[in-house]
Amino acid sequence: HIVYEDFVWIDRFTFRNLEIFAPLVQEGTSLLQVTDRCCSPMGSRLLREWIAMPLKDISAIARRQDVAESLHDNPDILNCVRAAIADVGDIERMISKAAAGRISPREVLALCNGLRRISEVSRLTAGLEKVAALSSGMDGCASLCELIEKTITPQAAVQLGKGEVIAAGVDDELDNYRNTLANSKEILLNIQQTERERTGISSLKIGYNNVFGYYLEVRNTHADKVPEDWIRKQTLVNAERYITPQLKEYEQTIMGAEEHILAIESRIYADLVAQIQQNVAAIQRDSRLVAQLDCLAGFAFQALEHNYCRPVVDNSLVIDIKAGRHPVIETMMEPGSEYVANDLYMSNDDRQIIILTGPNMSGKSALLRQTALIVLMAQIGSYVPAASARIGFVDKLFTRVGASDNISRGESTFMVEMSETATILNNLSQRSLVLLDEIGRGTSTYDGMSIAWAIVTYLHEFPGAPKTLFATHYHELNDIEDICDRVHNFHIATREAAGQVIFLRKLTPGGVASSFGIHVARLAGVPAKVVAAAEKKLRTLESEDKARPHGSSAVVLEEPAAAAPVQLSLYQLDDPLLAEIRDILEKIDINSLSPLEAFDTIRAIKNKLNGNK
């Protein structure tokens, strides 16, 4: 019975944004793809369930970790257990078919083999106390396996009536009928030889069809030799077909044997399936335990393969990750490349909100995602990609990253962004972990900046102070650190050398005001002429910005309500020439303007712009 309050609350936006079950792009990789090291279909299905519903119960998390740790510390046993589980097969699906009476003979044999391997798994793990606490509950159904092995022939047909299914020695009557069929070919050859000798028809042969069964075929050249007691059944172009009382009698014997064999095999097989159905509960329990052990063995295997650590999950309100890495990105890196690990410390009491600034492509989004994925992995009982980790368990996980629209529902990019943000703000709790990336980018600069500012201050004042990572290009938000005591500025470090930007991908205290967007445009292959024009315009804007009274900041926001509802303009309208042109346009009565007057007005404005007064 599932009680949803026992699991972490994760909305659909978070599942999508973190690429937990499916990547956002076709060539991407999901968390499930990376973490699924299970050896059986049952384990893979259970792992998906665990990832969808991380635990909040610390003791339950610890029990999973204990099993994974025991296997992690005994790699030889781990490898043997994984090999045995790989041979178990999908007994969960097989037993569901058996319960419905639709299991095939070969599936019965596969079920038996799987149960035998379960017994082996139990034996392999008997010496590991923590693992044995799980595997000792496996039944293996030894008596049922013995019955299956005794009843079903190892080379059983795909289904009843398509070949032998029941083993020899199970039923004497069945064996007798099989002997009859086995000797039928020899008996038919004897009848054929006897009739050839009796009639002198050397080309005589026995055949069979579905219309009138077995027959004797005689070519027309020997028609005068046919005995009077033969009964003609069919005339062909060059031959005649006959039957005899002896042949019909033997035909009935053969056909009767086939019917009896099918009836006897069906009865014995139905009895066997009934016996399997009596063990459904035990086998289902075994399949669930095997799936759990498969998942935990996968955690141990992955930890050994990628140098993961066992996290401490406790009741604190702290997240302290040392040398954390992104579990997906690091597996996709080219050979020889090394993922730059980062430390992260957050606490509801002092470092509640981290405002993360830094250039495009520096790794801000990766840091947000890796934090969420490490927390999620810790709360399903897995090892995590870090040198060490202490996770005060979270009860809700929220992310708002990236930009997308929903045209089919009439929702713009910004509307989708605000809908996801609203879901987060309306469902907060003290133990929530909130990850926000580029909030406000879908609207005008001042609008977006004001919304971002208001969200940060709202989260700071929210009861319980939920932990929040807020990545942004609005470097003006760094000023919030001076106003809110639990807000701290960090940035992803970069270095400029010879006109190039080097991304160090290291989390560093303090905010920055540069995004290096033009550098990213150059890396992306934007034409050099466009990049040069952008750099020239940037220098102009920066020089104008420095001339403003407030120094380097274009806007100063002291609190959410103080944001002025001003839209940035493409033109500086305090320029006298532009003001004069504006006055000319305002005086024009469009409704009474003739085409010639319109041309004259445009020519006059153009002359002013060219300096021809």
Side-chain angles (χ1 to χ4, degrees):
H1 179 64
I2 295 177
V3 180
Y4 290 101
E5 288 75 14
D6 295 339
F7 305 100
V8 178
W9 195 89
I10 305 177
D11 60 27
R12 61 188 178 91
F13 306 120
T14 298
F15 281 120
R16 182 198 66 201
N17 293 333
L18 292 179
E19 300 180 285
I20 290 176
F21 295 120
L24 292 174
V25 294
Q26 187 173 2
E27 63 274 13
T29 303
S30 69
L31 176 69
L32 180 63
Q33 288 174 275
V34 169
T35 56
D36 186 359
R37 310 312 298 270
C38 296
C39 298
S40 72
M42 299 177 296
S44 295
R45 287 195 296 271
L46 182 61
L47 177 62
R48 186 181 184 90
E49 179 182 317
W50 281 5
I51 292 177
M53 297 188 295
L55 299 172
K56 294 192 294 186
D57 187 336
I58 295 173
S59 59
I61 294 170
R63 285 194 295 272
R64 290 182 183 177
Q65 290 178 329
D66 288 342
V67 174
E69 184 177 42
S70 293
L71 294 168
H72 176 274
D73 295 342
N74 295 274
D76 291 339
I77 296 177
L78 170 64
N79 292 332
C80 293
V81 167
R82 283 169 54 82
I85 291 176
D87 288 340
V88 169
D90 199 347
I91 61 172
E92 189 176 40
R93 290 281 174 88
M94 295 177 203
I95 197 59
S96 66
K97 287 187 175 183
R102 294 186 290 104
I103 188 169
S104 72
R106 290 186 182 176
E107 288 172 330
V108 169
L109 289 176
L111 175 63
C112 178
N113 178 70
L115 293 172
R116 289 295 194 195
R117 299 298 277 171
I118 286 175
S119 298
E120 183 180 348
V121 170
S122 184
R123 178 183 59 78
L124 286 169
T125 56
L128 303 178
E129 181 183 354
K130 299 295 185 180
V131 185
L134 177 66
S135 61
S136 61
M138 298 177 185
D139 190 321
C141 302
S143 58
L144 176 63
C145 288
E146 292 176 2
L147 178 61
I148 292 173
E149 291 169 345
K150 175 185 175 182
T151 304
I152 304 295
T153 183
Q155 294 78 35
V158 177
Q159 64 184 63
L160 291 169
K162 299 296 184 181
E164 291 188 7
V165 171
I166 306 302
V170 174
D171 186 276
D172 292 339
E173 186 179 9
L174 176 62
D175 292 343
N176 290 334
Y177 282 118
R178 282 180 175 164
N179 289 333
T180 298
L181 283 181
N183 297 326
S184 62
K185 185 175 182 180
E186 182 180 347
I187 294 172
L188 288 170
L189 289 174
N190 288 337
I191 294 175
Q192 179 178 283
Q193 186 60 32
T194 299
E195 292 298 334
R196 281 180 178 179
E197 293 173 355
R198 183 166 76 93
T199 61
I201 304 173
S202 59
S203 61
L204 181 146
K205 64 179 181 180
I206 292 179
Y208 177 86
N209 66 26
N210 292 326
V211 178
F212 45 84
Y214 290 100
Y215 56 82
L216 297 166
E217 185 173 295
V218 179
R219 292 188 174 276
N220 291 339
T221 55
H222 298 286
D224 58 333
K225 299 178 183 178
V226 174
E228 294 183 359
D229 58 337
W230 288 13
I231 303 170
R232 184 163 54 192
K233 295 296 293 182
Q234 188 177 19
T235 300
L236 304 178
V237 175
N238 298 316
E240 298 281 351
R241 289 177 175 175
Y242 301 86
I243 61 172
T244 67
Q246 180 190 14
L247 199 57
K248 291 305 294 181
E249 181 181 350
Y250 190 70
E251 177 188 314
Q252 292 176 359
T253 301
I254 294 175
M255 299 300 291
E258 291 177 347
E259 292 176 2
H260 281 94
I261 288 172
L262 179 59
I264 295 171
E265 284 201 332
S266 297
R267 171 176 54 79
I268 296 173
Y269 187 73
D271 291 342
L272 178 62
V273 172
Q275 289 294 317
I276 296 173
Q277 290 172 339
Q278 292 180 15
N279 290 269
V280 165
I283 297 173
Q284 285 179 328
R285 184 172 59 253
D286 279 2
S287 67
R288 189 72 176 180
L289 293 174
V290 168
Q292 292 177 31
L293 187 57
D294 193 12
C295 288
L296 298 172
F299 293 164
F301 183 79
Q302 187 173 44
L304 289 168
E305 189 176 39
H306 296 296
N307 193 28
Y308 286 7
C309 75
R310 172 176 174 167
V312 175
V313 183
D314 56 26
N315 281 310
S316 70
L317 294 172
V318 169
I319 292 178
D320 188 5
I321 299 170
K322 302 295 186 186
R325 314 186 305 274
H326 194 296
V328 178
I329 295 177
E330 74 166 350
T331 63
M332 308 307 294
M333 297 180 70
E334 296 181 359
S337 301
E338 184 177 352
Y339 190 87
V340 179
N342 274 297
D343 298 346
L344 180 74
Y345 176 84
M346 301 185 73
S347 169
N348 294 47
D349 298 329
D350 51 9
R351 193 179 290 176
Q352 175 211 347
I353 299 175
I354 290 179
I355 293 181
L356 183 60
T357 50
N360 295 292
M361 293 180 60
S362 61
K364 299 192 301 299
S365 295
L367 181 65
L368 262 65
R369 286 180 168 92
Q370 81 181 39
T371 302
L373 296 180
I374 287 173
V375 169
L376 186 150
M377 291 173 69
Q379 292 192 219
I380 66 173
S382 172
Y383 278 50
V384 299
S388 68
R390 180 189 178 194
I391 308 295
F393 81 91
V394 305
D395 61 357
K396 295 181 179 182
L397 180 60
F398 299 105
T399 65
R400 166 56 275 218
V401 298
S404 62
D405 53 25
N406 192 343
I407 297 175
S408 64
R409 295 182 59 183
E411 296 178 353
S412 66
T413 300
F414 186 62
M415 184 62 182
V416 171
E417 179 181 325
M418 289 297 100
S419 296
E420 294 181 14
T421 304
T423 298
I424 295 172
L425 299 180
N426 290 322
N427 290 281
L428 290 171
S429 67
Q430 181 185 35
R431 289 191 171 275
S432 295
L433 175 61
V434 182
L435 308 173
L436 301 174
D437 192 5
E438 305 298 354
I439 293 296
R441 292 296 299 280
T443 185
S444 68
T445 302
Y446 285 6
D447 274 354
M449 195 186 308
S450 300
I451 290 171
W453 182 288
I455 289 172
V456 172
T457 55
Y458 177 84
L459 290 166
H460 184 266
E461 300 305 321
F462 189 86
K467 290 180 285 295
T468 304
L469 272 169
F470 195 109
T472 183
H473 281 293
Y474 295 137
H475 55 266
E476 291 83 0
L477 297 186
N478 289 330
D479 296 342
I480 302 179
E481 183 182 55
D482 300 328
I483 301 171
C484 302
D485 59 342
R486 295 188 306 279
V487 175
H488 294 262
N489 294 330
F490 280 80
H491 69 277
I492 305 296
T494 59
R495 178 180 300 165
E496 291 188 72
Q500 298 295 315
V501 178
I502 302 173
F503 299 119
L504 302 180
R505 308 195 187 283
K506 204 68 180 174
L507 184 64
T508 308
V512 295
S514 181
S515 296
F516 297 104
I518 295 176
H519 174 72
V520 174
R522 182 185 294 109
L523 291 177
V526 172
K529 186 174 181 180
V530 175
V531 173
E535 289 175 334
K536 180 179 179 181
K537 185 62 178 176
L538 177 62
R539 287 192 295 270
T540 302
L541 292 174
E542 287 178 341
S543 62
E544 292 174 355
D545 191 48
K546 289 178 182 178
R548 291 190 176 117
H550 294 302
S552 61
S553 294
V555 176
V556 174
L557 299 175
E558 298 191 1
E559 55 184 74
V566 178
Q567 179 76 15
L568 290 178
S569 175
L570 292 174
Y571 301 101
Q572 189 176 350
L573 288 181
D574 55 354
D575 184 297
L577 177 59
L578 293 179
E580 185 178 352
I581 294 173
R582 179 195 59 196
D583 294 337
I584 292 173
L585 293 174
E586 286 179 347
K587 293 177 181 178
I588 294 174
D589 184 0
I590 296 176
N591 295 323
S592 62
L593 192 68
S594 69
L596 184 59
E597 290 172 334
F599 281 122
D600 289 338
T601 302
I602 294 172
R603 185 182 297 107
I605 292 174
K606 185 175 180 182
N607 288 337
K608 287 184 178 293
L609 290 173
N610 291 331
N612 299 322
K613 301 285 178 83

